[in-house]
Amino acid sequence: MADSSPSAAALEPRGRKPKKTFSRANIFLYGTLIMVSMYYLLPLYVMVVTSLKGMPEIRMGNIFGPPMEITFEPWVKAWSEACTGINCDGLSRGFGNSVRILIPSVLMSIVIASVNGYALANWKFKGSEVFFTILIIGAFIPYQTMLYPIVIMLREIGLMGSIWGLVLVHTVFGMPILTLLFRNYFASVPEELFKAARVDGAGFWQIYFQIMIPMALPIFVVAIILQVTGIWNDFLFGVIYTKPATYPMTVQLNNIVNSVQGIKEYNVNMAATLLTGLVPLIIYFASGKLFVRGIAAGAVKG
Amino acid sequence: MTVVSDPRPRSAKRPSRLFKNWMAKIASLPMILTALVVFLGGTAWTVTYSFTGSRMLPRAKWVGLDQYERLWDTDRWIISIKNLAIYGSCSMILTLVLGFSLAACLDRKIRFESAFRTIFLYPFALSFVVTGLAWQWILNPDFGLQSVVRSWGWESFAFNPLNDPNTVIFGLLIAGLWQGTGLIMCIMLAGLRGIDEDIWKAARVDGIGTVKTYVVVIIPMMRPVFITALVMIASGIIKLYDLVVAQTGGGPGLASEVPAKYVIEYMFRAQNLGQGFAASTMMLCSVVIILIPWAYLEFGGRKRG
């Protein structure tokens, strides 16, 4: 909101004259934006409101109405009692699995991709660009074409169904975009710096650890944001490469909500949905501009 | 420091150049393996085995194009393709139009810009499963939007897309747009911010209206941004899977089936691997069809510029 100061507005005379806040065009503009905002905010509002109501109130009332009596029971139930099949230990198990998948996946994918990007930007070798091009094209290939060969590979190394197998899959599929991110960043580092370090006798790893990493901290944060939200939100790989005991949270959530047995408890379902969405939402609201930078980095492919 | 450009004479003391390149090569090994074994090898494997009669396990028993003939004879696949075509074309147009319009609104030097941007983008942080379940609940005919409008007195109001085979795709579309337009808006906004202020001044001097300036001047200038957005939307559409599983489960009946779901059902549930491979190869073909014009526009355009 820095641009609301009159001096800034006076410096940049774009579009209409500043200070005419209540012109017809402005009313139309804000009206549209507020209307659209409602469409975007409605689901979040409905989820929160529903998750705080009791079932009798949901059956009688209006899904847009605020809860008459706030209850946190649905949240407790979603976390520790909701059933998938015969297991009734709630989403906490999926949460645990997701965390155990998330941490090694994020670390591994970022370490590997940053080294890749560094090698591609500063230590080009014969064929390096070819491999990189294949990697980037690979990001566009539908995952479905690679699903089954990966099943075979994971079976061969004995990781099928385990958390580590899924970690490997996330590392592989995170690689194109992260490598691109790091490669572009390292390529923008002034070459003189790199040359000076080489003249001083620094080798591959020394330059990486002592010069590149300290300079690239912001891009590491961007990569972490990108990976945490991406891996946490994954459903496809989770449902294929893990078994019920190691299902990540998204898969378990879907199984809880879309299970056909029993009475539908919409408040518990919405609490469970919110619980699953909480981690990426916190990341999103906490990271602000960096999140935008992360997705913008994802946008400039090629 | 001034002779940096030629460090070679001193390199005799340090490890040889070949060794250094080896280090880079070893460090790039994960990338090389991923590119060659998983991406290239995996894709080639699937395409090859789509010409076999594999059922429960992959077997190299060649059947020619049988799987493809069977695929295009299967109603479920035809429905999936039609659904994807409807969803895809609507989503493509609406995402671009909405994304650009919102970005243009936010670029009009308005107040609370970052608040609006935060609101439009937050659904993108959520997974498709969460998106699908939230909208499944809002569109629930007995408790959701429909019942609320009816309780306001409009007794005959009917809005029940998720249980109507003819409109279920639009139910998915509402949710998909909710999740995805924020991203495109962000990209468009970045593109708009990259436009020189002088263009606006020139347009104003020439007396061209705001809307007309956008349509005639700004949009053509933003061609690369639009192409990027188009590619991102298209690759997202082909991957459409989680949203369908969560929101409709492919129902009612087969009314909201999509190709990605077809592949996974045949590979991992129906024990009919050959069909799954053939269907995924068709998906690959459609991506290639999209990618080639894009690569042409992107790299052909760069050469000209």
Side-chain angles (χ1 to χ4, degrees):
Chain A
M1 258 129 289
D3 48 351
S4 60
S5 71
S7 61
L11 280 172
E12 300 168 275
R14 168 199 281 217
R16 272 145 221 293
K17 286 188 199 102
K19 295 273 102 185
K20 256 174 91 181
T21 326
F22 287 105
S23 68
R24 272 214 346 254
N26 261 343
I27 291 169
F28 176 74
L29 196 64
Y30 284 104
T32 315
L33 285 173
I34 289 167
M35 291 287 284
V36 178
S37 298
M38 281 170 69
Y39 164 61
Y40 282 94
L41 285 173
L42 181 82
L44 188 63
Y45 169 76
V46 169
M47 280 193 279
V48 173
V49 165
T50 307
S51 72
L52 296 174
K53 288 176 187 171
M55 262 323 271
E57 197 186 328
I58 290 177
R59 279 197 210 94
M60 293 182 338
N62 172 339
I63 74 165
F64 301 130
M68 285 179 278
E69 248 180 87
I70 291 180
T71 163
F72 291 99
E73 209 183 315
W75 285 74
V76 176
K77 204 168 173 191
W79 178 254
S80 56
E81 289 165 41
C83 294
T84 40
I86 46 163
N87 285 317
C88 283
D89 47 6
L91 263 180
S92 52
R93 188 158 47 91
F95 180 83
N97 287 339
S98 272
V99 170
R100 279 187 291 150
I101 293 163
L102 184 75
I103 292 170
S105 306
V106 171
L107 287 177
M108 223 162 108
S109 58
I110 288 178
V111 167
I112 290 179
S114 64
V115 174
N116 281 343
Y118 164 64
L120 282 167
N122 301 90
W123 300 81
K124 286 197 180 82
F125 53 89
K126 211 176 165 196
S128 62
E129 287 298 302
V130 176
F131 296 127
F132 179 63
T133 310
I134 298 174
L135 197 72
I136 295 300
I137 292 172
F140 288 100
I141 299 175
Y143 297 143
Q144 278 73 16
T145 17
M146 296 177 263
L147 286 181
Y148 204 83
I150 293 174
V151 169
I152 297 175
M153 290 176 209
L154 288 181
R155 231 179 246 152
E156 288 297 315
I157 53 176
L159 290 179
M160 183 65 196
S162 74
I163 277 178
W164 285 99
L166 190 56
V167 169
L168 214 59
V169 172
H170 281 307
T171 307
V172 161
F173 284 105
M175 209 182 284
I177 180 65
L178 291 183
T179 304
L180 178 74
L181 193 72
F182 282 107
R183 186 193 85 130
N184 288 355
Y185 189 82
F186 290 135
S188 72
V189 171
E191 214 188 336
E192 286 72 23
L193 202 70
F194 176 75
K195 279 184 178 164
R198 286 200 63 188
V199 169
D200 289 345
F204 186 88
W205 296 110
Q206 229 177 332
I207 297 179
Y208 174 70
F209 282 112
Q210 293 184 353
I211 298 176
M212 294 302 180
I213 289 193
M215 281 177 60
L217 286 181
I219 212 76
F220 274 95
V221 177
V222 169
I224 291 172
I225 293 167
L226 208 65
Q227 282 301 84
V228 171
T229 43
I231 293 170
W232 191 271
N233 287 342
D234 162 67
F235 176 80
L236 177 66
F237 298 138
V239 84
I240 286 171
Y241 298 116
T242 56
K243 48 185 188 285
T246 47
Y247 273 164
M249 204 173 186
T250 46
V251 178
Q252 210 195 353
L253 168 74
N254 184 52
N255 289 349
I256 288 176
V257 176
N258 283 328
S259 80
V260 278
Q261 310 126 312
I263 323 152
K264 288 234 170 200
E265 288 182 289
Y266 297 107
N267 50 358
V268 177
N269 289 350
M270 284 304 114
T273 309
L274 274 176
L275 276 170
T276 311
L278 219 52
V279 169
L281 274 186
I282 289 170
I283 299 264
Y284 173 69
F285 285 113
S287 62
K289 281 233 155 87
L290 279 171
F291 184 89
V292 177
R293 212 174 135 191
I295 60 163
V300 281
K301 290 205 170 89
Chain B
M1 288 296 282
T2 44
V3 282
V4 155
S5 56
D6 189 18
R8 219 162 292 163
R10 267 178 285 170
S11 69
K13 273 183 250 162
R14 292 181 287 118
S16 76
R17 240 186 115 165
L18 187 75
F19 176 77
K20 277 192 175 155
N21 265 346
W22 269 110
M23 208 57 224
K25 278 172 196 166
I26 292 169
S28 310
L29 218 55
M31 179 189 79
I32 296 173
L33 283 177
T34 300
L36 294 184
V37 179
V38 182
F39 289 177
L40 215 59
T43 307
W45 190 93
T46 302
V47 173
T48 312
Y49 272 82
S50 71
F51 300 108
T52 69
S54 306
R55 290 197 67 86
M56 246 185 84
L57 290 167
R59 275 183 311 152
K61 204 184 99 199
W62 307 105
V63 294
L65 290 171
D66 272 14
Q67 296 288 6
Y68 292 91
E69 274 169 36
R70 210 171 304 152
L71 180 69
W72 288 99
D73 273 341
T74 312
D75 282 342
R76 188 171 177 177
W77 175 252
I78 305 291
I79 295 170
S80 303
I81 293 284
K82 276 187 190 153
N83 282 342
L84 195 69
I86 300 170
Y87 179 91
S89 44
C90 293
S91 161
M92 186 82 88
I93 294 165
L94 289 174
T95 311
L96 281 180
V97 170
L98 275 174
F100 183 80
S101 315
L102 289 178
C105 286
L106 289 188
D107 199 40
R108 300 307 302 166
K109 289 257 142 83
I110 59 155
R111 303 184 63 152
F112 312 119
E113 183 205 313
S114 67
F116 280 121
R117 205 187 46 216
T118 307
I119 292 171
F120 298 155
L121 190 59
Y122 89 90
F124 185 71
L126 294 170
S127 64
F128 274 123
V129 177
V130 169
T131 305
L133 296 176
W135 281 98
Q136 185 193 57
W137 170 235
I138 293 172
L139 298 176
N140 184 311
D142 301 324
F143 305 104
L145 199 59
Q146 177 176 278
S147 83
V148 171
V149 175
R150 280 184 188 172
S151 74
W152 288 340
W154 185 358
E155 296 290 340
S156 64
F157 178 79
F159 188 67
N160 186 9
L162 297 189
N163 293 309
D164 177 356
N166 295 316
T167 52
V168 65
I169 283 300
F170 301 102
L172 289 174
L173 199 62
I174 294 174
L177 288 176
W178 179 76
Q179 207 262 0
T181 32
L183 167 72
I184 300 303
M185 177 211 71
C186 251
I187 293 167
M188 297 283 184
L189 193 57
L192 285 172
R193 292 277 146 86
I195 297 228
D196 201 331
E197 298 271 329
D198 292 345
I199 303 282
W200 282 103
K201 283 182 202 154
R204 229 163 23 133
V205 169
D206 287 349
I208 306 173
T210 312
V211 175
K212 202 179 168 195
T213 311
Y214 273 117
V215 176
V216 182
V217 183
I218 304 294
I219 291 180
M221 281 181 73
M222 280 175 56
R223 202 186 71 150
V225 180
F226 269 87
I227 292 172
T228 310
L230 216 67
V231 170
M232 291 180 70
I233 301 168
S235 62
I237 288 167
I238 289 167
K239 284 177 189 155
L240 180 69
Y241 170 73
D242 333 13
L243 183 67
V244 178
V245 171
Q247 204 181 350
T248 68
L254 297 175
S256 60
E257 289 288 336
V258 286
K261 190 160 177 286
Y262 184 94
V263 171
I264 287 157
E265 301 273 312
Y266 273 81
M267 272 191 205
F268 298 100
R269 304 243 185 325
Q271 312 276 9
N272 194 342
L273 286 175
Q275 270 296 290
F277 296 153
S280 57
T281 307
M282 293 314 303
M283 288 177 69
L284 179 68
C285 289
S286 61
V287 171
V288 172
I289 290 169
I290 297 169
L291 272 187
I292 286 175
W294 172 64
Y296 178 78
L297 281 173
E298 184 96 336
F299 302 110
R302 210 171 275 170
K303 239 173 255 164
R304 261 182 279 130

